[in-house]
Amino acid sequence: MGRLALPPSADFGDLSHAVEVLYGRRLRFKEIGGAALHATTGIVFDAPTFTGIMVAAEDSEYYSLLSRVHELGHLIIRSAPDDWFSPELPRPKQPQQQSRLFLRLCPRNSTESTDADTVQEEVLVEELARALMRRLRAFESSAEEDHFA
Amino acid sequence: MIHTICLIAFVLVVVLRARSSWRKPAWWATAFGAVSIATYGIFWATPAVMDSLLRSRNILTLVRDSSAVAAMWFFHNAVATQRHRPERKLPLWALALAVVAFAVPFLLIRHPGPTSADFVLDRLQSFPTWLFSSVYISIMGVLAASVLALLRFEKSIMTRLYMLGISLMLVGSGMEVAYLFVAHFVPGTTGFAHDFYNVAEGPFFGGIFIGVLGVAWVLGVRNFWKYLARWTLRIDARAHDTGYQAQILLKARVNGWSDRQLAMDSAVNIRDRLKVGAQTLSKADDLVFTGVERMLSAQLQEASR
């Protein structure tokens, strides 16, 4: 996570920009209403000119933010240089770009997928997403509380 | 009256924060603040009683002012640390120099005893008394202005309380400097000196009280999140085995998570399960959980301001 070189008190814009640079494609975010995503918390897909991330419009803001960060996590795993991984923490096997699995539709914290690589990636990405959330300004430790409480 | 209110606020904050925060400059600021305000009297220990322990030479006034400057010095450094501006922290020698700057004129005051509530007023015609009082209040004003400069871009409730309190202190300091100047240098102002001796007390102590409320506010917010985090974890733990709560609390402690971060983590787990129908909440729990989620979402709006 430290290799993303986020500024102190980073916001979602900073994180999104860092992933854009890493992934090398323009990112676009969209909220979908009407529960079209059902239990799926978010979708990431590559369009010809940009990479899109869709999340459910009905979700609370904090939850929706985590869904976006989670999808950014998939892009980080896909595009991070090899030296960001280690034998203890290898990069989950990535599906072929034309494969249906490239569009990941597995809900967070779910083990419903029978594809071990997908499950492993979901677990890893969720852990990364939550760590990134704690790093964002909104949820980082409050300096006020550190010093005055 | 205002002294007593300030003293109660200070003592509460000092005692409640003692165990967890005694190493922090902000705690020392409140501790010195409490010492300074306590010199106005605590129950039977009137200023005369306390000053008699110091040979009844109004040394208590010097103790009061030195403690007040120390409190502002620590508060200034606490704000500089919180604002990530370590270069603005004041060195310890600056505190020593500040105290010496008004202690020396104080020690030059002839016949400083006996103990009097009107110690400065009674001797305002003497130059050392004027110098002592003016240097002290000016130092307080400069420290207050510096704290205001550090806080000017912050918009949290705590900061607003600090800014309001410190601004009032600054106004009080300005009024006191002006009063001392007129009373000492302008002839024929004896009546004015008596009538306006306590004129700066209202804004000055009102400001101190509001500043202490700022610390109390943060303390309240912190305890509120602590309670919410434990509640959310309890609801989250219903879907796990008995050791889950202790395991997560240990993980949070080891990784240095704040209570807000812990609440967010548990809330996400709960919402994940609610989404797929793997957990249900009673009406009461659902109401509280909705409140928790709203507060977590409000964090985002606060951070984007």
Side-chain angles (χ1 to χ4, degrees), chain B residues 98-133:
Chain B
V99 172
V100 167
F102 59 83
V104 169
F106 180 92
L107 296 173
L108 294 176
I109 297 171
R110 287 186 185 177
H111 314 298
T115 306
S116 165
D118 299 331
F119 166 70
V120 172
L121 179 64
D122 297 343
R123 295 161 181 79
L124 199 45
Q125 293 315 309
S126 92
F127 183 73
T129 307
W130 171 81
L131 189 62
F132 151 71
S133 300

Side-chain angles (χ1 to χ4, degrees), chain B:
Chain B
M1 182 64 180
I2 185 89
H3 304 139
T4 312
I5 295 171
C6 285
L7 182 60
I8 291 169
F10 266 119
V11 169
L12 275 176
V13 165
V14 167
V15 171
L16 289 174
R17 299 173 67 239
R19 212 177 64 177
S20 63
S21 304
W22 69 271
R23 288 184 187 84
K24 298 174 190 169
W27 185 84
W28 284 99
T30 51
F32 274 109
V35 170
S36 183
I37 305 282
T39 60
Y40 286 98
I42 319 167
F43 304 117
W44 57 268
T46 61
V49 171
M50 285 190 250
D51 198 47
S52 68
L53 301 173
L54 301 165
R55 295 168 52 206
S56 298
R57 291 162 57 85
N58 286 297
I59 297 286
L60 196 65
T61 304
L62 189 58
V63 171
R64 175 184 306 146
D65 294 355
S66 305
S67 311
V69 167
M72 276 302 279
W73 183 88
F74 275 109
F75 185 69
H76 179 281
N77 284 0
V79 171
T81 309
Q82 188 253 330
R83 296 301 308 129
H84 307 294
R85 301 284 301 275
E87 77 281 2
R88 293 286 300 272
K89 282 172 78 172
L90 300 167
L92 194 59
W93 62 259
L95 171 63
L97 192 67
V99 172
V100 167
F102 59 83
V104 169
F106 180 92
L107 296 173
L108 294 176
I109 297 171
R110 287 186 185 177
H111 314 298
T115 306
S116 165
D118 299 331
F119 166 70
V120 172
L121 179 64
D122 297 343
R123 295 161 181 79
L124 199 45
Q125 293 315 309
S126 92
F127 183 73
T129 307
W130 171 81
L131 189 62
F132 151 71
S133 300
S134 298
V135 169
Y136 156 69
I137 203 71
S138 300
I139 288 169
M140 290 295 279
V142 167
L143 285 169
S146 184
V147 171
L148 275 181
L150 278 166
L151 289 173
R152 69 188 183 281
F153 296 120
E154 277 289 291
K155 288 176 187 165
S156 67
I157 292 176
M158 177 201 82
T159 310
R160 283 182 177 140
L161 285 168
Y162 284 167
M163 290 195 77
L164 178 62
I166 300 284
S167 300
L168 282 171
M169 284 178 71
L170 194 57
V171 169
S173 302
M175 288 165 71
E176 183 72 5
V177 168
Y179 162 82
L180 290 168
F181 182 85
V182 171
H184 180 74
F185 288 105
V186 180
T189 51
T190 314
F192 166 85
H194 277 88
D195 293 345
F196 292 95
Y197 183 51
N198 295 319
V199 71
E201 272 205 358
F204 193 80
F205 285 98
I208 289 174
F209 177 68
I210 292 171
V212 180
L213 276 190
V215 179
W217 168 262
V218 183
L219 197 60
V221 168
R222 186 175 184 164
N223 282 312
F224 178 72
W225 276 104
K226 190 172 183 170
Y227 174 79
L228 274 193
R230 299 301 182 277
W231 182 87
T232 317
L233 178 58
R234 256 198 327 273
I235 302 292
D236 181 23
R238 286 180 190 165
H240 297 271
D241 54 34
T242 46
Y244 179 77
Q245 271 197 65
Q247 183 195 330
I248 296 297
L249 283 173
L250 180 68
K251 184 178 173 186
R253 196 167 62 242
V254 168
N255 293 300
W257 293 2
S258 68
D259 287 314
R260 224 166 295 201
Q261 291 170 341
L262 177 59
M264 180 188 65
D265 202 67
S266 302
V268 168
N269 294 340
I270 296 166
R271 179 51 65 192
D272 277 345
R273 285 192 295 272
L274 292 174
K275 228 173 160 46
V276 295
Q279 186 170 5
T280 51
L281 298 179
S282 69
K283 271 189 180 171
D285 286 345
D286 189 46
L287 204 67
V288 179
F289 185 61
T290 304
V292 171
E293 289 203 298
R294 282 201 182 140
M295 275 180 277
L296 287 168
S297 293
Q299 290 293 121
L300 299 174
Q301 286 150 15
E302 261 178 50
S304 63
R305 270 186 221 151

Side-chain angles (χ1 to χ4, degrees), chain A residues 5-23:
Chain A
L6 294 172
S9 287
D11 59 17
F12 179 72
D14 296 316
L15 173 62
S16 170
H17 176 69
V19 176
E20 230 170 20
V21 171
L22 184 70
Y23 196 52

Side-chain angles (χ1 to χ4, degrees), chain A residues 1-6 15 18 69 76 84 89 127-136:
Chain A
M1 193 172 79
R3 302 203 193 197
L4 279 172
L6 294 172
L15 173 62
V69 175
I76 295 170
W84 287 26
L89 189 69
E127 205 163 311
L128 175 64
R130 293 198 190 192
L132 285 167
M133 284 287 277
R134 286 190 289 273
R135 173 71 174 73
L136 295 184

